[in-house]
Amino acid sequence: MNTRAILRTAGIGCSLLLASAAASADTAQADAVKRGEYIARMGDCVACHTAPNGKPMAGGLALETPFGTLYSTNITPDERTGIGRYTFEQFDRAMRKGVAADGHNLYPAMPYPSYARMTEADMRDLYAYMMKGVEPVEQANKENDMDWPFSMRWGLSLWNAFFLDDEAFTPDPKQSAQWNRGAYIVQSLGHCGACHTPRGFAFQEKTMGDKGGKGDTFLAGETVEGWRALSLRNLWTPEDTAELLKTGRNKHGTVSGNMVDVVQHSTQYMTNEDLLAMGVYLKSLSPGKDDLPMQIAQGPAPAIVPLPAGMGAAPEDDVPTTIFTTRGGLGYLQFCADCHRANGNGVPNVFPPLTGNHTLQSQDPSTLIHIMLTGWRAPVTESHSRPLYMPAFAQLADQEIADILNFTRRSWGPGDAREVLASDVANGRKHLGAKSINERPFETPRLADMLKEPNAEQLVLGARLNIDTARMLPNHVGAAMNCASCHLNAGTVADGSPYVGVSAFFPSYGARAGREITLEERINGCFLRSMNGKALPKEGEEMKAMVAYFDWMKRETKPEDRVEGRGIGKIDRSIVPNPENGKLIYAEQCAICHGDEGEGIKDAKGRWVYPPLGGNDSFNIGAGMARIYTAAAFVKRNMPIAFHDRFPLGQGGLSDQESVDVAAWFSHFPRPDFPPKVNDWPKGGRPSDARY
């Protein structure tokens, strides 16, 4: 082989080697970017560095602190407004020391004291992702609005000198690899201590880990932005912790406040192994108290009304009797029990329980007040694609909210829970800017006000019979239905067939009966049809209590008056139903409460939680809800619950067409017959959607 051929062959070989090396480098970088993306998920970078409706990582999110407002910065690789020109060394310094590329100090709202514990390998992978895996966005950073002297950044150098512990995480050789992995994530990338560790006088975390003299304060609980971040020390089993971080809920409750974003943007994407490791580490920490014991504030004694002797069934053994005898109990029964249930057990995989709920047991009621005033939304996760809502109850007065919270804390919280005062709620309302806004003139009656009346015992019985009809009147109810199944919140919800003013309009002509009917006859019509049962004796104590309850809600209504929110509204009867689309809507939005096939939901003891929409335990064919357009009008304004933030049940949200479609689907489920139907509409006027 001549020299030229040898050189040519060598050149080809070098080219192949260079190409192979380049391909290998590209693969290595791609792997680093992929690992870095996972690390960014663990660090939850996107949550703080993305403004509402903004582009990911472009900053602009307002972060409220006790010292003013900070705005998160653009951390996309844009070279002009982001971090595109950062070297790895500059990036590493910002992450570990809180010092930007140009030398200015970052505020410790950026949890660099936690990120300082990252390994170099993780830091390099994160850098690769931020530079190569994030879309650059040209967006200038907003100026912070910090109070003086905190607006002076030079003080942050002193803060770092006193409080920054930038010691990298060191595995404990006495512990398992799983424990060390969990400890590493919790202490570094997870920066759990940023919210859950008590702060010192300079707003520093009192400790960055579980070692040293202050180790028992690590993750021991803190109040942040009006939310109580609970103690994580030995809180749940590792499996319970992993489930909460993956789905946003477990058998003890659901996440709220800032943890909604943490689950939604970060922990749900983590591997099951990492989540379980975190749970193992947290379970190993010595139990800590969420709060120091607080003296119980003395308030006025609650109004007590003894339960009527011999009138209706006693409450179930797991329902607090004070639910019927105190203002807070009746407030809870009216506004909270539909989701959390009268026994506080909630609905598994739907609504959180209050029994064993650590937020309820905390001495600090900040989270409870926050949720009552501003509402709550569950995170969107792979396992729960539709977020559930609890609407804000800011329409309630400060004392009403305090009464409800005190009832729940006495019933399912710690025995030494301090009293929540109306002033606590007022302060929270002011801090959160929560306004009492009623967008319509409907005035929601308060069940608690029945306790003021001279016939309070009778009125409470009437309310109980409405809410717990099937159990209290088993000889007169043949279905798994209560009056409140259609008359929401015991008949106090606008467009939910409320009882407000109703008794003023009776006796009145009933087209279905073809004659004038009394209020007692109208009530018995529901027992016969909607509850597929038997009529109540018109002179019996139960009927008298129900009529008294209606009369209490009549107020000053006269027969000629028009009552705002009465009935369930109307719907366009020219809409052509599409039952197949209704089947899809039902599966997406209704099955969670009424079962996949409309069979209803029962609790662990076999008691009905939400009623069936078909079958032998449902309303019969003579009920109004068996008619498409009547059912559609009810659905449009009242179902599903907890899918929106409308007061008081998060109800409604479907369009007219969707409501008609889903009503066409479930109203035609098999159901009991009603033989007297042959006597209906004797003078004509039979509705077109009647099924007989």
Side-chain angles (χ1 to χ4, degrees), residues 13-25:
C14 289
S15 297
L16 291 173
L17 287 172
L18 289 172
S20 177
S24 178

Side-chain angles (χ1 to χ4, degrees), residues 237-321:
T237 66
E239 292 76 16
D240 285 341
T241 296
E243 181 182 4
L244 187 86
L245 294 174
K246 193 72 172 181
T247 68
R249 62 188 75 191
N250 63 19
K251 64 185 179 183
H252 303 290
T254 61
V255 297
S256 60
N258 297 334
M259 274 303 297
V260 172
D261 286 335
V262 172
V263 171
Q264 187 163 300
H265 298 300
S266 176
T267 56
Q268 70 160 315
Y269 298 101
M270 293 171 62
T271 65
N272 294 335
E273 292 77 13
D274 277 349
L275 296 177
L276 190 59
M278 293 172 70
V280 167
Y281 169 68
L282 294 174
K283 183 63 179 175
S284 74
L285 302 178
S286 60
K289 283 201 170 183
D290 180 42
D291 303 286
L292 294 174
M294 302 180 73
Q295 184 177 1
I296 299 176
Q298 298 299 316
I304 300 293
V305 175
L307 290 176
M311 293 177 62
E316 293 173 303
D317 55 10
D318 55 356
V319 174
T321 56

Side-chain angles (χ1 to χ4, degrees), residues 191-255:
H191 60 279
C192 304
C195 290
H196 291 273
T197 295
R199 297 275 176 165
F201 70 94
F203 207 60
Q204 82 282 9
E205 294 171 50
K206 288 187 175 181
T207 180
M208 298 303 299
D210 55 341
K211 298 178 181 179
K214 296 182 179 178
D216 59 350
T217 64
F218 182 57
L219 304 177
E222 180 60 287
T223 301
V224 182
E225 296 181 5
W227 297 98
R228 183 64 190 177
L230 297 175
S231 170
L232 301 181
R233 301 179 66 87
N234 207 330
L235 185 60
W236 299 310
T237 66
E239 292 76 16
D240 285 341
T241 296
E243 181 182 4
L244 187 86
L245 294 174
K246 193 72 172 181
T247 68
R249 62 188 75 191
N250 63 19
K251 64 185 179 183
H252 303 290
T254 61
V255 297

Side-chain angles (χ1 to χ4, degrees), residues 601-630:
I601 298 292
K602 292 183 178 181
D603 67 11
K605 293 185 177 181
R607 300 173 298 194
W608 288 104
V609 175
Y610 294 122
L613 300 183
N616 293 332
D617 291 315
S618 188
F619 50 87
N620 66 39
I621 200 171
M625 290 293 282
R627 292 160 44 192
I628 291 177
Y629 294 102
T630 299

